[in-house]
């Protein structure tokens, strides 16, 4: 018996796609154009130590319900970051990379070039608090409940008023409130708004330009997960939110046995104090010392790396033996102190980074 499989139905690995097995191919797609106007290269800007786009890539990859994860971009650096974080890259054409190009046009180009894709999970890179369970539950509404289009929403308690031209002197009209009977928050369920986190749709719906939709549904996300970044002032708020509600990956049951830290610039407060006699002093943050005690109480060995280095401060070149300062600052805390040259510390930190895990 000879089996012929068309290239149309082969996935990137050369194996038959889900279409051969009767299962729809579900592709997560993140659009990340390089020409962001509000925040330049916003999609790869660091948010809480991680590129913005990486937060949603990690959630998509760990959801385990999508068959492929793609980033559509026209920018080399975005492509590099996307591949580092495990995504495939669709290099979009100049026709859909313009300021006037719509998301729909870009997604339609993607499915034209990827005929194996049956369901597109369009995820916004600017929603860093997305979790894998959001993707799983929303996708089930298409694969199990027969929806053609599913989008994310959030419940808000906001009163709307009609916008009027002040020159006309017309009174604004309330759109969702009786001013004489203004409800308390706990007595009002609020209203649903798109939060822009994701839009899932079938291939057929996209090919029809989302004009002939059958069954539509929304997926409600809790307010703490509904974060959107458009302008600079959104960034610090999003950073605090993601540190508390973001998805940091699968938990691994690993035990930390050794904590290795570079002293200069890490355990110091960034100040150099020179006495009248010419002695150099640095200040050690008491919170760092308390943290070291906490680690030691958990039987974690703490080792500090000192560095003899040249520091330029206020136009004066000062030679500072950090090892001497560190030994004095940390005496009594039972930390092992290592004095290394600049290359030694660089190689050590690069290879070990923060901790040795066994």
């Amino acid at each position: 018996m000879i089996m012929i499989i068309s290239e149309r139905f082969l996935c990137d690995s050369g194996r038959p796609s889900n279409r051969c097995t009767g299962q729809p191919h579900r592709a997560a797609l993140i659009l990340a154009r390089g020409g962001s106007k509000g925040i330049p290269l916003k999609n790869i800007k660091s948010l809480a130590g991680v590129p913005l786009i990486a937060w949603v890539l990690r959630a998509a990859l760990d959801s385990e319900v999508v068959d492929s994860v793609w980033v559509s971009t026209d920018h080399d650096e975005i492509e590099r970051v996307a591949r580092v974080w495990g995504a495939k890259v669709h290099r979009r054409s100049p026709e859909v990379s313009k300021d006037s190009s719509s998301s729909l046009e870009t997604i339609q180009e993607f499915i034209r070039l990827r005929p194996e894709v049956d369901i597109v999970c369009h995820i916004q890179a600017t929603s860093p608090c997305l979790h894998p369970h959001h993707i799983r539950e929303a996708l089930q509404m298409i694969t199990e409940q027969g929806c053609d289009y599913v989008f994310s929403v959030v419940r808000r308690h906001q009163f709307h008023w009609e916008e009027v031209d002040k020159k006309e002197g017309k009174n604004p009209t309330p759109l969702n409130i009786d001013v004489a009977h203004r409800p308390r928050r706990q007595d009002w369920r609020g209203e649903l708004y798109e939060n822009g986190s994701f839009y899932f749709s079938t291939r057929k719906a996209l090919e029809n330009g989302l004009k002939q939709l059958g069954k539509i549904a929304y997926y409600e996300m809790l307010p703490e997960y509904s974060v959107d970044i458009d302008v600079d002032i959104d960034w610090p708020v999003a950073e605090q939110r993601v540190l508390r509600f973001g998805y940091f990956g699968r938990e691994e049951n690993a035990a930390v046995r050794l904590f290795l830290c570079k002293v200069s610039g890490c355990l110091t407060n960034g100040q150099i104090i020179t006495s009248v006699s010419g002695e150099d002093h640095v200040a050690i943050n008491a919170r760092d010392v308390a943290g070291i005690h906490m680690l030691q109480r958990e039987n974690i060995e703490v080792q500090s790396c000192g560095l003899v280095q040249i520091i330029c401060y206020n136009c004066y070149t000062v030679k500072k033996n950090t090892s001497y300062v560190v030994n004095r600052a940390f005496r009594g805390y039972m930390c092992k102190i290592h004095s290394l040259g600049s290359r030694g510390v660089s190689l050590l930190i690069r290879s070990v980074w923060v901790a040795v895990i066994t």
Side-chain angles (χ1 to χ4, degrees):
M1 181 178 67
I2 300 176
M3 179 179 293
I4 299 177
I5 300 177
S6 170
E7 183 180 0
R8 171 184 173 89
F9 301 124
L10 290 178
C11 64
D12 288 344
S13 63
R15 298 188 302 270
S17 73
N18 286 10
R19 192 170 297 182
C20 297
T21 62
Q23 297 295 323
H25 183 104
R26 299 152 296 191
L29 177 64
I30 296 93
L31 307 183
R33 191 170 65 92
S36 175
K37 300 301 181 184
I39 306 176
L41 289 179
K42 169 179 63 179
N43 294 308
I44 56 174
K45 182 178 178 180
S46 178
L47 180 74
V50 176
L52 176 61
I53 197 172
W55 289 99
V56 295
L57 286 176
R58 183 160 49 194
L61 290 165
D62 287 357
S63 69
E64 298 183 334
V65 292
V66 294
D67 300 296
S68 57
V69 178
W70 294 82
V71 170
S72 173
T73 187
D74 60 340
H75 195 275
D76 292 341
E77 184 62 15
I78 295 178
E79 176 178 354
R80 186 192 68 80
V81 172
R83 293 190 186 278
V84 166
W85 284 88
K88 301 176 182 180
V89 174
H90 163 65
R91 195 71 183 204
R92 64 172 70 179
S93 67
E95 287 74 23
V96 295
S97 301
K98 305 173 184 176
D99 291 342
S100 58
S101 300
S102 68
S103 297
L104 178 59
E105 292 172 334
T106 308
I107 297 173
Q108 287 176 328
E109 179 189 73
F110 170 77
I111 61 175
R112 281 198 303 270
L113 297 174
R114 306 301 306 184
E116 75 278 9
V117 173
D118 301 295
I119 299 171
V120 175
C121 304
H122 172 208
I123 300 172
Q124 301 268 48
T126 51
S127 299
C129 285
L130 184 70
H131 281 242
H133 74 268
H134 296 139
I135 299 173
R136 287 194 293 266
E137 293 166 3
L139 190 54
Q140 285 177 351
M141 301 172 78
I142 291 182
T143 59
E144 298 181 12
Q145 300 177 25
C147 293
D148 297 309
Y149 187 70
V150 176
F151 58 97
S152 58
V153 300
V154 63
R155 190 175 299 276
R156 293 178 180 166
H157 295 76
Q158 295 177 334
F159 298 126
H160 291 259
W161 288 76
E162 175 193 16
E163 184 177 359
V164 298
D165 188 344
K166 295 181 179 180
K167 296 179 181 179
E168 296 180 357
K170 180 183 176 182
N171 286 334
T173 302
L175 301 178
N176 66 343
I177 179 180
D178 180 354
V179 179
H181 301 88
R182 185 182 295 270
R184 299 181 303 170
R185 182 184 178 90
Q186 59 267 35
D187 297 330
W188 182 42
R189 284 180 53 79
E191 295 181 336
L192 296 177
Y193 292 80
E194 284 190 19
N195 69 351
S197 187
F198 59 76
Y199 303 87
F200 295 178
S201 52
T202 62
R203 181 187 188 91
K204 182 179 179 180
L206 290 166
E207 289 176 337
N208 291 331
L210 302 178
K211 295 177 180 179
Q212 298 177 0
L213 295 175
K215 187 176 181 181
I216 304 175
Y218 59 77
Y219 177 84
E220 183 176 352
M221 295 175 64
L222 295 176
E224 52 263 37
Y225 299 116
S226 297
V227 179
D228 194 20
I229 302 174
D230 288 321
V231 293
D232 278 331
I233 60 174
D234 295 332
W235 207 268
V237 176
E239 194 155 41
Q240 292 302 312
R241 186 78 67 86
V242 78
L243 287 172
R244 184 172 180 183
F245 299 109
Y247 174 68
F248 289 84
R250 295 188 181 96
E251 292 185 1
E252 298 180 1
N253 295 322
V256 178
R257 302 302 182 195
L258 170 65
F259 181 79
L260 187 67
C261 55
K262 181 181 177 183
V263 176
S264 179
C266 296
L267 300 182
T268 58
N269 65 0
Q271 293 181 332
I272 301 175
I273 305 168
T274 303
S275 67
V276 177
S277 60
E279 294 181 344
D280 302 328
H281 304 274
V282 295
I284 304 299
N285 195 313
R287 292 180 179 178
D288 291 327
V289 174
I292 289 175
H293 283 160
M294 293 173 65
L295 292 171
Q296 290 174 335
R297 284 197 294 268
E298 297 295 329
N299 296 320
I300 297 174
E301 183 179 357
V302 179
Q303 297 190 12
S304 301
C305 300
L307 171 64
V308 178
Q309 59 184 351
I310 303 296
I311 294 180
C312 183
Y313 182 72
N314 286 345
C315 300
Y316 292 97
T317 301
V318 181
K319 185 173 181 180
K320 179 172 67 73
N321 188 330
T322 310
S323 298
Y324 171 75
V325 177
V326 169
N327 271 295
R328 293 194 61 184
F330 283 91
R331 63 186 177 187
Y333 296 118
M334 301 181 68
C335 294
K336 292 183 179 179
I337 309 298
H338 300 278
S339 179
L340 304 172
S342 58
R343 177 171 173 78
V345 169
S346 176
L347 292 175
L348 186 61
I349 297 299
R350 189 181 307 164
S351 61
V352 182
W353 193 241
V354 173
V356 174
I357 300 176
T358 59

